[in-house]
Amino acid sequence: MLNNKKDFQRVTMEWLNPLKGHYIKGDARLPLGSFNAKYSRDTAEMEAWARPLWAFASYLKGGGRDEVLEKVYLNGLINGTDPNHEGYWG
């Protein structure tokens, strides 16, 4: 149950911690399997990378810190928007 900010922060990291170590291509992609509906693998991996940001951005705004995920998402933004990087989103 989420009654306060501490509860939200705890649950957020319970959801996000299992993703650590699974980001690829300069942290710009997150392969979660081949169960996407109609998108290409590249699109599915980029979307999987982006969706956790809904929770992580709120976590950070609320004062939470996680150096590993902060580094992953900073690297991912840099590499995903670099046309010369293998993780480029296109």
Side-chain angles (χ1 to χ4, degrees):
M1 184 163 230
L2 301 175
N3 292 314
N4 54 47
K5 183 165 74 172
K6 289 276 189 210
D7 290 342
F8 175 81
Q9 290 175 325
R10 176 186 47 77
V11 169
T12 297
M13 294 316 295
E14 286 176 8
W15 292 338
L16 298 179
N17 278 328
L19 302 176
K20 293 177 182 177
H22 295 284
Y23 294 85
I24 62 169
K25 295 187 179 183
D27 295 330
R29 306 281 175 94
L30 181 60
L32 293 179
S34 58
F35 47 83
N36 51 310
K38 63 176 184 170
Y39 303 109
S40 70
R41 170 177 245 124
D42 285 341
T43 300
E45 289 177 355
M46 194 273 295
E47 183 179 353
W49 177 92
R51 284 188 179 227
L53 281 173
W54 286 100
F56 192 53
S58 296
Y59 176 80
L60 293 174
K61 179 67 176 167
R65 299 293 305 204
D66 187 286
E67 290 182 21
V68 171
L69 287 175
E70 289 173 34
K71 183 177 177 182
V72 162
Y73 279 100
L74 179 59
N75 287 339
L77 281 171
I78 291 168
N79 295 326
T81 57
D82 179 355
N84 297 313
H85 193 276
E86 69 173 336
Y88 180 56
W89 298 324

